[in-house]
Amino acid sequence: MSETSKSLNFIEQIIEEDLENGYSKSDLRFRFPPEPNGYLHIGHASSICLNFGLGLRYQSPVNLRFDDTNPAKEEQEFVDAIKKDVSWLGFKWDTERYASDYFQQLYDWAVQLIKDGKAYVDSQTSEEMAVQKGTPTQPGTNSPFRNRSVAENLSLFEEMKSGAHKEGSHVLRAKIDMAHTNMLMRDPIMYRILHRAHHRTNTDWCIYPMYDWTHGESDYIEQVSHSLCTLEFLPHRELYDWFLDQVYDPKMLRPKQREFARRNLSHTVVSKRKLAQLVAEKVVTGWDDPRMPTISGMRRRGYTPESIRNFADTIGIAKRENLIDVSLLEFHVREDLNRTTPRVMGVLDPLKVVITNYPEGHEEWLEAENSPEDESLGFRQVPFSRELYIEKDDFKEEANKEFFRLKLGGEVRLKNAYIVKAESCTKDTDGNIIEVQCTYDPKSKSGSGNPESLRKVKGTLHWVSIQHAVPSEIRLYDRLFTHESPDTQKDKDFMEFINPNSLEVITGYVEPSLKETKIGDRIQFQRMGYFCVDKDSTEEELVFNKTVGLRDSWAKIQQKAE
């Protein structure tokens, strides 16, 4: 095996083998086929990156196809959200398709199956069908309606289509083998009656095709070469092929289904049904709540499309399911934001500092670098005055030598400003420190070139001028679930693991340059983490979502000491 083939994932190896065995590159076509019954999540992102990534690798078209066969659950809102998410991730589809585009063709094929004696109308109840289908270890029994005449089946199927029968009264089933070892092959349902308006076809149809019947035939109509599904569809492959056998023309390209394993993310759920439950029960504010694993939620939280694509590339494609720690996703988010976001100052838990030897009423504007990672981001002006806010955790009356922040008698540099020394502090009646009095060295101004400005002190703190600070709503997020795998615990509902502290809302104070930010802008609050301007922001009040924190070396030292 060559070095190149060794580096390919198993899906790419399948494609390479097909190219060696007669396929041409012009035969290759892929698709991403979401059902528009919810918002896309991180699991879909891996599938999107796989299919569109193959399209880029082989310079082949990729369709965006909506498998819209269930009008009871599908909405245009979800179609629009899916298109937005795929585009935001950085991918362009070749053509936009809908399974509903093929309703007439699917119906015509179904009629032909009836004529060929390979499909029949079953009038049993769903409970009766469940019993006669058997079990994995016991064969099923034939439906009493299995041997209806072709003429009766055609007549009933036409009546179903025209709306003459109520929901649940009849279904169309493929006639395969009720003793088959694969229960999916035991006369699967092809059509059911639904008197529901469809988001595209309105009330044109009263019967809707099932996914297994629709999926492979849609791939065939679109001439998709490789239909890539998650592992739970492996047992469906046999049925996928059987349905293709009934319509396949040797002059056409025949799609092949292949499966890859889901990559589950820790401390979350990715079932659309369960995500919908979180929304319905108002555990979260909506599908785009920043705690949700939806692509729209991650976008709102401040994740970048690059970081999600890099995450998908890192976890790769495999044949076995695995639980991926969410910290790996956060690593990629942090890595990308570190390169691209400007550094600003915001104090989230304020403690007042008064510089007693700084002139009262005086202010100055200091030059601050926006990013050491990207010079093109330039500089900004930051106001400095006698009264400032620093973080409460950045001051202790007494501390050991490992504490490099401010303590009584100790010195720190205020970022882009001066070296200050803590002289005293004021406490309230409960003994809480409410103010620190400092002195500053006027010659220690950053960038001034004075010998005093080059003096080394171990700690550097961020700060904001109280006079100029902009009060802002800060939303701090934690894991939505307390358990790493909340929906795989026997005898326990996943809702039992909801983290009651997954959101904390506080008031922070940010430098005035942030008044110019727009919704969706990403920034780093120095020493605090990465944040994103939320859509709830207004001109009167800025709202920031915490995207992900920085590595906290002090916390590690403290933990080690304890």
Side-chain angles (χ1 to χ4, degrees):
M1 186 180 286
S2 68
E3 288 300 315
T4 303
S5 62
K6 284 181 182 177
S7 65
L8 300 177
N9 65 49
F10 79 95
I11 295 290
E12 291 165 341
Q13 289 174 2
I14 289 169
I15 295 169
E16 290 294 330
E17 288 170 6
D18 289 337
L19 290 172
E20 290 175 6
N21 295 325
Y23 276 54
S24 70
K25 282 202 172 181
S26 62
D27 290 328
L28 299 182
R29 179 180 286 271
F30 308 98
R31 90 288 174 267
F32 173 61
E35 185 180 352
N37 62 354
Y39 281 57
L40 299 182
H41 52 64
I42 187 65
H44 293 115
S46 289
S47 181
I48 292 168
C49 292
L50 170 61
N51 283 287
F52 283 94
L54 290 170
L56 292 171
R57 179 184 179 98
Y58 293 103
Q59 297 183 319
S60 302
V62 184
N63 292 349
L64 176 61
R65 182 177 75 236
F66 294 93
D67 280 337
D68 54 344
T69 61
N70 186 358
K73 294 184 178 180
E74 295 157 357
E75 299 176 21
Q76 186 62 40
E77 173 195 351
F78 299 136
V79 171
D80 296 339
I82 288 167
K83 289 164 66 175
K84 181 178 180 180
D85 288 346
V86 175
S87 295
W88 178 76
L89 281 172
F91 299 113
K92 294 182 179 180
W93 52 89
D94 180 58
T95 57
E96 182 179 323
R97 304 291 188 98
Y98 296 81
S100 53
D101 293 338
Y102 315 134
F103 279 176
Q104 186 62 50
Q105 176 65 81
L106 291 166
Y107 176 80
D108 292 343
W109 277 335
V111 168
Q112 188 58 51
L113 260 66
I114 293 173
K115 291 178 179 178
D116 293 341
K118 294 180 179 179
Y120 63 97
V121 174
D122 195 343
S123 305
Q124 296 182 97
T125 65
S126 58
E127 292 79 11
E128 288 170 336
M129 277 188 279
V131 171
Q132 65 87 208
K133 203 158 189 179
T135 69
T137 57
Q138 291 181 321
T141 55
N142 288 345
S143 164
F145 303 99
R146 198 172 195 263
N147 294 320
R148 269 176 166 153
S149 68
V150 169
E152 186 181 2
N153 281 320
L154 288 173
S155 176
L156 279 170
F157 192 46
E158 176 61 31
E159 290 173 4
M160 289 164 61
K161 176 178 178 287
S162 64
H165 297 284
K166 63 181 182 180
E167 292 184 13
S169 58
H170 306 288
V171 295
L172 183 72
R173 296 177 72 175
K175 187 185 287 187
I176 306 179
D177 180 2
M178 289 304 295
H180 202 289
T181 54
N182 182 347
M183 290 187 67
L184 295 170
M185 301 294 285
R186 296 180 186 177
D187 291 10
I189 297 173
M190 295 174 63
Y191 278 90
R192 76 285 204 202
I193 300 169
L194 282 176
H195 295 292
R196 304 287 183 96
H198 188 277
H199 71 103
R200 293 184 76 243
T201 61
N202 201 7
T203 55
D204 291 353
W205 293 86
C206 296
I207 55 172
Y208 290 92
M210 301 298 287
Y211 180 84
D212 278 328
W213 167 237
T214 309
H215 181 206
E217 313 309 91
S218 298
D219 288 340
Y220 178 62
I221 292 169
E222 295 175 21
Q223 288 292 274
V224 168
S225 60
H226 296 80
S227 180
L228 307 176
C229 307
T230 45
L231 208 55
E232 67 265 31
F233 288 97
L234 177 58
H236 295 249
R237 192 202 294 185
E238 191 171 10
L239 181 55
Y240 180 98
D241 287 333
W242 189 90
F243 279 138
L244 281 180
D245 288 341
Q246 313 315 311
V247 303
Y248 176 61
D249 180 344
K251 300 189 192 77
M252 302 274 282
L253 183 141
R254 182 185 175 110
K256 58 168 61 178
Q257 176 182 306
R258 294 296 180 266
E259 304 79 21
F260 61 95
R262 285 182 184 274
R263 290 298 207 237
N264 299 311
L265 198 64
S266 73
H267 298 90
T268 191
V269 297
V270 289
S271 155
K272 280 187 187 175
R273 179 182 60 79
K274 291 174 181 176
L275 294 176
Q277 184 178 343
L278 293 172
V279 174
E281 297 186 17
K282 301 190 184 305
V283 174
V284 293
T285 57
W287 286 94
D288 68 344
D289 187 297
R291 292 165 291 179
M292 290 279 272
T294 55
I295 295 174
S296 57
M298 292 186 287
R299 176 170 59 243
R300 184 175 174 186
R301 186 159 175 170
Y303 287 17
T304 63
E306 293 81 5
S307 63
I308 295 172
R309 294 199 306 266
N310 290 340
F311 169 73
D313 185 57
T314 298
I315 64 175
I317 300 300
K319 298 181 181 181
R320 291 185 179 180
E321 288 198 9
N322 200 2
L323 183 67
I324 307 298
D325 197 302
V326 68
S327 62
L328 179 60
L329 173 58
E330 292 171 344
F331 164 80
H332 284 288
V333 174
R334 189 183 293 113
E335 188 177 58
D336 191 49
L337 292 175
N338 182 55
R339 293 186 299 102
T340 57
T341 55
R343 273 64 160 165
V344 296
M345 293 192 288
V347 174
L348 308 189
D349 190 14
L351 174 63
K352 184 178 180 180
V353 168
V354 178
I355 304 174
T356 55
N357 62 335
Y358 193 86
E360 291 193 38
H362 182 62
E363 67 177 48
E364 55 186 308
W365 291 77
L366 308 174
E367 188 172 70
E369 182 182 33
N370 285 327
S371 174
E373 299 286 334
D374 186 353
E375 292 182 2
S376 69
L377 293 178
F379 294 81
R380 70 189 186 285
Q381 297 293 304
V382 180
F384 186 84
S385 63
R386 189 172 192 264
E387 296 185 349
L388 311 171
Y389 283 136
I390 65 169
E391 299 288 343
K392 278 183 183 174
D393 285 348
D394 281 344
F395 175 76
K396 289 182 182 290
E397 282 186 89
E398 297 179 2
N400 62 36
K401 62 181 180 179
E402 300 291 343
F403 186 78
F404 298 135
R405 291 173 265 180
L406 192 61
K407 54 191 173 187
L408 287 182
E411 291 183 315
V412 295
R413 173 169 291 284
L414 299 178
K415 181 72 174 175
N416 305 306
Y418 298 94
I419 294 173
V420 297
K421 180 179 181 181
E423 306 289 356
S424 58
C425 63
T426 304
K427 300 179 182 179
D428 63 15
T429 54
D430 294 324
N432 300 310
I433 297 169
I434 57 173
E435 182 182 298
V436 181
Q437 295 83 37
C438 294
T439 55
Y440 86 118
D441 180 351
K443 295 183 179 181
S444 65
K445 183 177 178 180
S446 295
S448 65
N450 296 327
E452 290 85 354
S453 70
L454 302 176
R455 187 159 60 86
K456 300 294 183 184
V457 290
K458 286 191 173 181
T460 301
L461 306 185
H462 65 279
W463 51 274
V464 291
S465 164
I466 293 177
Q467 177 186 339
H468 305 87
V470 179
S472 303
E473 181 177 309
I474 311 292
R475 298 174 180 174
L476 305 175
Y477 297 101
D478 198 355
R479 309 279 191 260
L480 185 55
F481 294 94
T482 56
H483 196 285
E484 67 174 7
S485 186
D487 57 351
T488 61
Q489 304 309 300
K490 291 182 179 179
D491 305 322
K492 287 203 173 184
D493 186 85
F494 78 104
M495 297 287 278
E496 294 181 41
F497 299 104
I498 293 290
N499 179 5
N501 303 312
S502 63
L503 171 62
E504 180 186 4
V505 180
I506 62 173
T507 297
Y509 296 86
V510 304
E511 62 177 72
S513 67
L514 291 173
K515 289 180 181 178
E516 307 302 317
T517 55
K518 300 179 180 62
I519 291 171
D521 283 354
R522 305 178 186 95
I523 46 98
Q524 182 199 118
F525 286 147
Q526 293 181 37
R527 302 176 60 240
M528 302 306 294
Y530 298 96
F531 290 76
C532 178
V533 183
D534 188 73
K535 68 177 184 179
D536 292 340
S537 282
T538 63
E539 290 186 7
E540 291 73 34
E541 183 179 47
L542 288 170
V543 179
F544 293 95
N545 295 323
K546 185 173 183 179
T547 307
V548 65
L550 301 174
R551 291 177 182 82
D552 189 347
S553 58
W554 162 245
K556 289 180 180 178
I557 292 170
Q558 193 175 45
Q559 187 176 18
K560 188 176 179 181
E562 291 173 355

Coordinates of all heavy atoms in Angstrom, one line a residue, residues 39 49 88 131 182 245 276 353 375 405 414-417 426 476 493 524 531 544:
Y39 N -33.1 21.9 13.4 CA -31.9 22.6 13.1 C -30.7 21.6 13.0 O -30.7 20.6 13.7 CB -31.6 23.7 14.1 CG -32.4 24.9 13.9 CD1 -33.8 24.9 13.9 CD2 -31.8 26.2 13.7 CE1 -34.6 26.1 13.7 CE2 -32.5 27.3 13.5 CZ -33.9 27.3 13.5 OH -34.7 28.4 13.4
C49 N -19.1 18.2 6.3 CA -17.6 18.3 6.0 C -17.2 17.1 5.2 O -16.3 17.3 4.3 CB -16.8 18.5 7.2 SG -17.1 20.1 8.1
W88 N -22.8 29.0 5.9 CA -21.9 29.6 6.9 C -20.6 28.7 7.1 O -19.5 29.2 7.4 CB -22.7 29.7 8.2 CG -21.9 30.3 9.3 CD1 -21.5 31.6 9.5 CD2 -21.3 29.5 10.4 NE1 -20.7 31.7 10.7 CE2 -20.6 30.5 11.3 CE3 -21.4 28.2 10.8 CZ2 -20.0 30.1 12.4 CZ3 -20.8 27.8 12.0 CH2 -20.1 28.7 12.8
V131 N -47.2 -7.1 15.2 CA -47.2 -8.5 15.7 C -46.8 -9.5 14.6 O -46.0 -10.4 14.7 CB -48.6 -8.9 16.3 CG1 -48.7 -10.4 16.5 CG2 -48.9 -8.1 17.5
N182 N -33.3 -10.2 8.0 CA -33.2 -8.7 8.2 C -34.7 -8.2 8.3 O -35.4 -8.2 7.3 CB -32.5 -8.1 7.1 CG -32.4 -6.5 7.3 OD1 -33.0 -6.0 8.1 ND2 -31.5 -5.9 6.5
D245 N -32.9 -2.2 -7.3 CA -33.0 -3.3 -8.2 C -34.3 -3.2 -9.0 O -34.4 -3.6 -10.2 CB -33.0 -4.7 -7.5 CG -31.6 -5.0 -7.0 OD1 -30.6 -4.4 -7.5 OD2 -31.6 -5.9 -6.1
A276 N -35.4 19.1 20.3 CA -36.7 19.8 20.2 C -37.4 19.8 21.6 O -38.1 20.8 21.9 CB -37.6 19.0 19.2
V353 N -10.4 50.4 42.1 CA -9.0 50.8 42.4 C -8.9 52.3 42.3 O -9.4 52.9 41.2 CB -8.0 50.1 41.5 CG1 -6.6 50.7 41.6 CG2 -7.9 48.6 41.8
E375 N -0.7 41.7 13.1 CA -0.4 43.2 13.1 C -1.4 44.0 12.3 O -1.6 45.2 12.6 CB 1.0 43.4 12.5 CG 2.1 42.8 13.4 CD 3.5 43.1 12.8 OE1 3.6 43.8 11.7 OE2 4.5 42.7 13.4
R405 N -0.4 38.5 41.0 CA -1.3 39.6 40.8 C -1.1 40.6 41.9 O 0.0 40.6 42.6 CB -2.7 39.1 40.6 CG -2.9 38.3 39.3 CD -4.2 37.6 39.2 NE -4.2 36.2 39.7 CZ -5.2 35.4 39.6 NH1 -6.4 35.8 39.3 NH2 -5.1 34.1 40.0
L414 N -0.4 47.6 34.9 CA -1.7 47.7 34.3 C -1.4 47.7 32.8 O -0.7 48.5 32.2 CB -2.4 48.9 34.7 CG -2.7 49.1 36.2 CD1 -3.4 50.4 36.5 CD2 -3.6 47.9 36.7
K415 N -2.1 46.8 32.1 CA -1.8 46.6 30.6 C -1.9 47.9 29.9 O -2.9 48.6 30.0 CB -2.9 45.6 30.1 CG -2.8 45.2 28.6 CD -1.6 44.3 28.4 CE -1.6 43.9 26.9 NZ -0.3 43.1 26.6
N416 N -0.8 48.1 29.1 CA -0.7 49.3 28.2 C -0.6 50.6 29.0 O -0.7 51.7 28.4 CB -1.9 49.5 27.3 CG -2.1 48.2 26.4 OD1 -1.2 47.8 25.7 ND2 -3.4 47.7 26.5
A417 N -0.5 50.5 30.4 CA -0.5 51.7 31.2 C 0.7 51.8 32.1 O 1.9 51.9 31.6 CB -1.8 51.8 32.0
T426 N -10.0 49.0 51.5 CA -11.2 49.4 52.3 C -12.1 48.2 52.2 O -12.3 47.6 51.2 CB -11.9 50.6 51.7 OG1 -10.9 51.7 51.7 CG2 -13.0 51.0 52.6
L476 N -22.4 33.9 30.7 CA -21.4 32.9 30.9 C -22.0 31.5 30.8 O -22.9 31.2 31.5 CB -20.7 33.1 32.3 CG -20.1 34.5 32.6 CD1 -19.6 34.6 34.0 CD2 -19.0 34.8 31.6
D493 N -33.8 9.3 32.5 CA -34.1 10.2 31.4 C -33.0 11.2 31.3 O -32.4 11.7 32.3 CB -35.4 10.9 31.7 CG -35.9 11.7 30.5 OD1 -36.5 11.2 29.6 OD2 -35.5 12.9 30.5
Q524 N -11.5 38.9 22.2 CA -11.0 38.3 23.4 C -10.9 39.4 24.5 O -10.3 40.4 24.3 CB -9.5 37.8 23.2 CG -9.0 37.1 24.4 CD -7.5 36.9 24.4 OE1 -6.8 37.5 25.2 NE2 -7.0 36.2 23.4
F531 N -15.2 36.0 23.5 CA -16.6 36.4 23.6 C -17.1 36.8 22.3 O -16.4 37.2 21.4 CB -16.8 37.6 24.6 CG -16.5 37.1 26.1 CD1 -15.3 37.0 26.6 CD2 -17.6 36.9 26.9 CE1 -15.0 36.6 27.9 CE2 -17.4 36.6 28.3 CZ -16.1 36.4 28.7
F544 N -22.8 40.2 25.6 CA -21.7 39.3 25.1 C -21.9 37.9 25.6 O -22.3 37.7 26.8 CB -20.4 39.8 25.7 CG -19.9 41.1 25.1 CD1 -20.2 42.3 25.8 CD2 -19.2 41.2 23.9 CE1 -19.8 43.5 25.3 CE2 -18.8 42.4 23.4 CZ -19.1 43.6 24.1

